[in-house]
Amino acid sequence: MAAKHLFTNDLTASTYTVSTVPAGKEWSFSIVFCNRTSGYIRVRFAVSSSGTSTPADSEFYMYDIEVPPNNSIERSGHTAQAGRKIIYWAEKSGISVNGHGYED
């Protein structure tokens, strides 16, 4: 099992962004939302098996959590198998999202 940077994105305001676990792989990961602005920004995070880029209500791990200005929040302990979609969203631009962990 190799530790690595699994995904990175600069989020567009009010748009769901997706990273998909590659075929034949599993991820054990942490996700970090970094707010590069001077105001609070709400973020969301889900892991979906539905195959769409819009998660079902039951798939959210975080919903409208505020990231403080010029700061970040990290959530760890997530797992996802091949084909699962890691979905993230921010209400405004200025949020970077990164996933790091293990791919097996």
Side-chain angles (χ1 to χ4, degrees):
M1 188 179 322
K4 63 191 296 185
H5 195 176
L6 300 168
F7 54 87
T8 186
N9 279 285
D10 182 11
L11 300 185
T12 302
S14 298
T15 303
Y16 284 110
T17 303
V18 177
S19 294
T20 304
V21 180
K25 301 292 182 180
E26 292 183 357
W27 287 353
S28 175
F29 66 98
S30 295
I31 188 168
V32 179
F33 290 90
C34 176
N35 182 349
R36 305 181 319 270
T37 74
S38 59
Y40 282 86
I41 298 178
R42 293 179 300 137
V43 298
R44 300 174 186 172
F45 159 58
V47 177
S48 177
S49 61
S50 65
T52 69
S53 60
T54 304
D57 289 345
S58 63
E59 295 174 320
F60 281 97
Y61 285 73
M62 295 170 47
Y63 196 89
D64 288 353
I65 302 300
E66 289 187 329
V67 182
N70 301 307
N71 210 327
S72 62
I73 60 169
E74 179 175 9
R75 298 294 191 261
S76 59
H78 303 288
T79 59
Q81 62 266 50
R84 297 286 173 145
K85 298 191 179 311
I86 314 307
I87 304 172
Y88 23 87
W89 173 97
E91 72 175 321
K92 301 174 189 172
S93 60
I95 292 282
S96 304
V97 63
N98 288 276
H100 54 92
Y102 295 92
E103 182 176 78
D104 189 21

